[in-house]
Amino acid sequence: MNYKIPKNLLSKGSTNAKTSKNPETTYILYLAPYTQNSKKINICPKASAGCAAACLFSAGRGAFSNVIQSRVNKTEYYLHDKEKFILQLASELVKINKKAATETNQTLIRLNGTSDLDFVYLLKKYANFDISNYRNLHFYDYTKILGKVKKYIDHKNYTLTFSRAENNELEALQALEIGANVAAVFSGDLPKTYKGYPVVDGDKTDQEMLAFKGIILGLKAKGKARKDNSGFVIKTI
């Protein structure tokens, strides 16, 4: 499949309903999730059937064809020329870091807006870019890969929240036990607790995960998730 090299890989968080509420400046990298690419490579390797069906790729601006095409194009770029993609990403991050140095608060970076890749590793491998050296930036992501949560649990400027699905609740509980937060989607009003852990409104802003440890980030079902019957969405009504 043909693709064009985009001018920018990272988008301002102001284009996202939740990240636009973040007090800090936020940038997000959006790819086409799951196997929505010409090579049918799954860039969300632990995505469950319920997650794939309810993906936020279908919610908000992600439902528009031009937005989808932009994300597909970036994914094709990544899959066909990974090193060049990562070098461009690193270059953009260097510029954002320079700008962030003039601001009062840290700038937030979410590299897996609609994917689940280890960009921290990829940046180090292909661009010799160690995020630990860029303290003006704080990186954060959601992931369904428990091993990745364990790998980065003590990282100084990278925060991961484990995403609960219909087939990984035991892993979600393990993540909570080591002090990580877990995102869970609910069909109606958020309960005060789930499985004995406090539930915090994860839709308030996209940086609630940075203020808490070992809690449930409750998210309300959006897009196609409203019709989920797989167990991905926890029924509260």
Side-chain angles (χ1 to χ4, degrees):
M1 179 179 177
N2 294 326
Y3 63 90
K4 296 180 179 179
I5 297 176
K7 180 179 179 181
N8 295 300
L9 294 172
L10 293 160
S11 305
K12 287 292 289 288
S14 56
T15 64
N16 178 289
K18 190 164 60 168
T19 52
S20 64
K21 303 173 188 176
N22 287 358
E24 282 80 21
T25 302
T26 306
Y27 291 85
I28 311 177
L29 174 59
Y30 287 113
L31 300 179
Y34 201 45
T35 58
Q36 299 181 61
N37 56 77
S38 63
K39 294 189 175 185
K40 299 302 177 185
I41 293 174
N42 188 355
I43 63 169
C44 303
K46 288 283 188 175
S48 67
C51 174
C55 183
L56 288 180
F57 193 54
S58 67
R61 295 184 70 251
F64 296 108
S65 60
N66 63 321
V67 175
I68 292 173
Q69 184 53 49
S70 172
R71 296 177 185 182
V72 170
N73 182 68
K74 289 177 184 177
T75 307
E76 296 297 333
Y77 177 25
Y78 168 77
L79 292 175
H80 286 85
D81 199 341
K82 186 180 297 183
E83 183 173 358
K84 189 171 184 178
F85 179 102
I86 297 298
L87 286 169
Q88 180 176 340
L89 178 60
S91 177
E92 290 183 28
L93 289 170
V94 168
K95 292 177 183 177
I96 292 170
N97 181 70
K98 185 176 181 180
K99 182 179 179 182
T102 66
E103 299 179 358
T104 305
N105 296 322
Q106 283 186 319
T107 293
L108 304 181
I109 308 291
R110 181 176 167 186
L111 296 179
N112 284 290
T114 41
S115 56
D116 197 354
L117 300 169
D118 192 345
F119 279 109
V120 175
Y121 164 77
L122 292 169
L123 283 163
K124 181 71 173 178
K125 178 180 179 180
Y126 291 105
N128 196 29
F129 184 100
D130 186 345
I131 69 169
S132 300
N133 297 328
Y134 295 83
R135 295 304 179 87
N136 298 315
L137 310 179
H138 191 96
F139 296 77
Y140 73 101
D141 276 323
Y142 297 87
T143 183
K144 283 187 173 63
I145 304 171
L146 182 60
K148 192 158 68 167
V149 173
K150 292 178 177 179
K151 179 180 179 181
Y152 294 114
I153 189 68
D154 295 319
H155 202 286
K156 298 298 183 183
N157 61 325
Y158 186 38
T159 301
L160 278 166
T161 290
F162 187 80
S163 293
R164 178 230 174 248
E166 74 276 14
N167 64 348
N168 68 2
E169 193 154 284
L170 288 177
E171 288 185 308
L173 292 172
Q174 290 178 51
L176 287 162
E177 287 171 3
I178 63 173
N181 295 326
V182 168
V185 183
F186 295 88
S187 61
D189 292 338
L190 301 180
K192 291 184 179 180
T193 62
Y194 180 73
K195 298 292 182 178
Y197 290 89
V199 176
V200 172
D201 183 2
D203 284 322
K204 185 178 179 181
T205 72
D206 203 36
Q207 63 183 78
E208 295 305 297
M209 69 169 72
L210 306 182
F212 301 94
K213 288 186 177 181
I215 55 90
I216 303 286
L217 285 171
L219 308 171
K220 290 189 176 181
K222 305 170 187 68
K224 293 178 181 178
R226 294 189 183 97
K227 298 180 180 179
D228 173 77
N229 288 307
S230 69
F232 172 76
V233 176
I234 301 166
K235 301 298 182 184
T236 53
I237 54 173

